[in-house]
Amino acid sequence: MWELWKRRNCYKYGKAVSINRVIYQISSTLQALVRVRKPSLQNVPHKWLDIIQLLEGYTPRLKVTKVVWDFPDQGWMKVNTDGVSRGNPGKSAIGFVVRDEEGDVKFAWGKKIQKATNTEVEALTILEALRHCVHHVYTSIIAN
């Protein structure tokens, strides 16, 4: 759209505009965008149809990371928290889970909240989890 807007303004104010140049600039911009957004793709073509074919056949590489949840020591409770904000600030939600030394879930909770930043959401999630633990007199807790 930016390339079209630039060429439109050139034409409007009396500069020569070539259709081939417009197509070339748009294609170059698309090619650069694909290179930035999909750095794993090699040899990004310049022609529109070739770019479309490349992207239609593209399967992103998934990165898998093994995560191991460690049990808390005997007599301890473990609290895992997570807060999310879509947009930073944006639509947000918070949640936490409390588990005992056996790994059994004792309590899990989550809810949507008002618009907030990532940092605010993470802090509010921890605060809510701590309030729950204090209310239920969990004195030996570990948080992740």
Side-chain angles (χ1 to χ4, degrees), residues 31-97:
Q31 185 183 41
L33 178 64
V34 170
R35 283 185 181 139
V36 168
R37 298 292 297 189
K38 308 291 183 200
S40 64
L41 288 177
Q42 302 295 318
N43 303 321
V44 178
H46 197 271
K47 292 183 179 178
W48 292 8
L49 290 177
D50 295 338
I51 292 174
I52 290 170
Q53 281 181 334
L54 175 72
L55 293 176
E56 284 177 343
Y58 174 71
T59 303
R61 293 183 189 155
L62 298 177
K63 181 180 177 184
V64 178
T65 304
K66 184 177 180 180
V67 177
V68 178
W69 187 83
D70 294 324
F71 290 85
D73 292 335
Q74 185 70 31
W76 285 73
M77 301 293 265
K78 188 168 191 176
V79 180
N80 297 103
T81 63
D82 194 19
V84 295
S85 174
R86 186 175 199 164
N88 200 27
K91 292 182 180 179
S92 301
I94 60 176
F96 66 91
V97 62

Side-chain angles (χ1 to χ4, degrees), residues 80-130:
N80 297 103
T81 63
D82 194 19
V84 295
S85 174
R86 186 175 199 164
N88 200 27
K91 292 182 180 179
S92 301
I94 60 176
F96 66 91
V97 62
V98 180
R99 297 177 194 231
D100 64 13
E101 68 270 2
E102 303 284 322
D104 294 331
V105 174
K106 293 301 180 183
F107 185 78
W109 179 82
K111 74 173 185 174
K112 291 180 185 178
I113 62 168
Q114 64 194 19
K115 192 176 188 180
T117 67
N118 291 333
T119 306
E120 291 168 336
V121 170
E122 293 291 350
L124 185 56
T125 306
I126 294 167
L127 179 62
E128 289 295 328
L130 288 173

